[in-house]
Amino acid sequence: MVVLFWVMALALFAVATRVGRHFGMIPIVSQLLLATVVLPLLMYFWIEPHWQLSGATLVAPIWLKNLYSLSFALLLGYILSDVIDLRLDRQSLKIALPSFCVPFACGLATAIWWLPPQPWISSLAVGLLFAITAIPVLYLYLRHIGYPSSATRRLVQTAILIDLICWTLFAIAQGSLHLSSLLLPLACACVPLLLRVLGLRQPRLYSGCFFALLVVAEHYKLNALIVGIGYLLCMAALKVPLVLPVPAIWMNRLQTWIAIPLILTFGIVQINVHSAMDSLGWAQLAALLLLPIASKLLGNWLGLGWAGASFAGASRWRESVLLNIRGLSEIVFLNLLLQQQLISPPLYFALMLMGLIATLLPALVGMHRIPLKAAVPARSPHANR
């Protein structure tokens, strides 16, 4: 029955993705809708009462945990690989600083004064979740509405910088809890330097080791963030390009049809939504839904005003909404925190719902219907992968 459930879940995500595309939605939006609305109802009204399967039972098989580790490493590597594409410029930095600092401060304040008492690293994580921006989904939205190439490049570089700050801060904070646990991840991160000393220069070898080490780190509960960020920074210093382990078209298919549905389902089925909502309370739920979006919009607005318009006729409001997109980055970060028990299931579900609203916001305000006179869209950081 467990196998049947997972086959059914993947099939549901496939159907939702195809239906969403029919209505002009990008896959991650359809998948978030299914995960936050349909899956909890399916668990509550059918799987638990009729199949007698709990969330703990559904995620118990060893083969499933191994598949989860592989999928998680694949997505984490895909997101962190943007580190190697960072081209820091003054305008992106001016946008990124307020766009990160304002929601981060709001998240910290919310965690300390509004949520139940929790360890300091959990409060830090909430602040980072308030600030994070989804790089791949942002690019897809910009391409979908035909945004000018220079403005697209500036916004994507801003998102890369914000995510790099978020992932690096959390990696350092997590490592500081157990300083001895830093040694092995740091040693793994230095593998590119060892390969260069050995005279090996093939990019595919470096890239293969990168994804393999992420799988090992996730499986054995090492600090995968330090491994991934450190490894890619070494690759960038050595000027070694990252090569995907499979062709780009197959990587996209693996993410869309298997990895993302698996990670979303793995997290959602472990949550009793009814008790989660009861434990949070309506005031806390409203705060977790509204404050991250409002503070991020404010930070984006301040940063875009500081940097100036990217092109004649550029709208600060429109770009503020676009930089508020969460999507894939938020999903991976939330699952990382949930599996390490750094956030509670109610907090996980509330922030997952917030991520869905923030990702849908550009479409909800009619942005997908705005015809923009644009040049050829900029290539994604992932375009050649």
Side-chain angles (χ1 to χ4, degrees):
M1 294 296 284
V2 172
V3 175
L4 180 60
F5 168 82
W6 284 100
V7 171
M8 181 184 68
L10 292 178
L12 284 174
F13 275 100
V15 172
T17 300
R18 291 190 179 278
V19 172
R21 280 177 173 169
H22 178 74
F23 290 99
M25 287 192 293
I26 56 179
I28 190 65
V29 174
S30 307
Q31 292 164 340
L32 280 169
L33 279 170
L34 178 67
T36 52
V37 178
V38 178
L39 277 184
L41 294 176
L42 187 67
M43 287 293 297
Y44 186 77
F45 289 107
W46 188 17
I47 302 300
E48 290 180 345
H50 297 292
W51 288 21
Q52 300 297 309
L53 292 174
S54 65
T57 304
L58 291 172
V59 301
I62 299 298
W63 62 267
L64 181 64
K65 292 181 177 179
N66 291 335
L67 187 58
Y68 174 86
S69 295
L70 183 61
S71 299
F72 187 86
L74 186 71
L75 289 181
L76 180 62
Y78 183 77
I79 292 172
L80 292 182
S81 64
D82 286 302
V83 171
I84 211 167
D85 288 306
L86 181 61
R87 303 290 183 268
L88 189 62
D89 65 83
R90 183 174 298 179
Q91 300 306 312
S92 296
L93 183 61
K94 286 181 177 180
I95 302 171
L97 287 177
S99 181
F100 169 79
C101 292
V102 172
F104 177 67
C106 181
L108 278 180
T110 301
I112 294 171
W113 292 316
W114 197 258
L115 297 179
Q118 56 187 350
W120 68 268
I121 193 170
S122 298
S123 299
L124 174 73
V126 172
L128 296 176
L129 284 165
F130 272 45
I132 206 164
T133 299
I135 303 162
V137 181
L138 172 64
Y139 172 74
L140 289 175
Y141 258 112
L142 292 169
R143 186 178 63 179
H144 181 67
I145 64 177
Y147 219 63
S149 58
S150 59
T152 295
R153 191 176 302 110
R154 186 172 80 156
L155 291 179
V156 170
Q157 289 298 315
T158 299
I160 292 173
L161 183 56
I162 293 169
D163 278 18
L164 176 59
I165 294 171
C166 289
W167 292 109
T168 303
L169 279 178
F170 184 72
I172 294 172
Q174 191 180 32
S176 69
L177 293 177
H178 307 285
L179 292 177
S180 60
S181 67
L182 281 174
L183 297 178
L184 188 54
L186 285 174
C188 293
C190 293
V191 166
L193 303 179
L194 176 63
L195 295 176
R196 178 57 62 89
V197 170
L198 295 174
L200 301 172
R201 297 176 178 271
Q202 298 86 349
R204 192 167 293 278
L205 174 63
Y206 285 76
S207 304
C209 290
F210 168 67
F211 283 99
L213 286 172
L214 283 182
V215 173
V216 172
E218 163 60 23
H219 185 77
Y220 290 103
K221 307 304 180 186
L222 301 177
N223 194 321
L225 290 177
I226 287 181
V227 174
I229 293 173
Y231 194 105
L232 286 172
L233 289 176
C234 287
M235 284 184 65
L238 296 172
K239 300 188 184 305
V240 178
L242 183 72
V243 181
L244 291 177
V246 296
I249 187 172
W250 284 104
M251 176 65 80
N252 289 331
R253 288 172 179 172
L254 280 172
Q255 290 184 66
T256 302
W257 306 111
I258 297 177
I260 295 174
L262 182 69
I263 287 175
L264 283 171
T265 307
F266 199 93
I268 288 294
V269 297
Q270 299 179 66
I271 297 171
N272 185 318
V273 176
H274 182 71
S275 62
M277 294 301 95
D278 287 343
S279 63
L280 273 179
W282 288 107
Q284 288 178 321
L285 178 61
L288 291 170
L289 293 180
L290 298 177
L291 290 179
I293 295 174
S295 60
K296 184 71 171 176
L297 286 173
L298 175 60
N300 294 340
W301 178 268
L302 294 174
L304 289 164
W306 186 16
S310 56
F311 63 94
S315 168
R316 282 173 69 184
W317 160 248
R318 184 180 303 155
E319 293 190 344
S320 296
V321 171
L322 287 167
L323 279 175
N324 197 30
I325 291 171
R326 311 302 171 121
L328 191 57
S329 300
E330 185 106 1
I331 292 168
V332 173
F333 203 8
L334 278 170
N335 276 270
L336 176 68
L337 297 173
L338 182 67
Q339 296 310 311
Q340 295 182 6
Q341 298 182 339
L342 292 176
I343 59 173
S344 64
L347 187 57
Y348 173 91
F349 183 76
L351 290 173
M352 178 74 79
L353 190 58
M354 180 278 297
L356 170 63
I357 296 170
T359 305
L360 281 173
L361 193 58
L364 293 175
V365 299
M367 198 167 293
H368 64 293
R369 297 190 299 269
I370 298 174
L372 294 174
K373 296 180 180 179
V376 177
R379 292 179 65 80
S380 167
H382 303 290
N384 295 320
R385 299 187 197 144

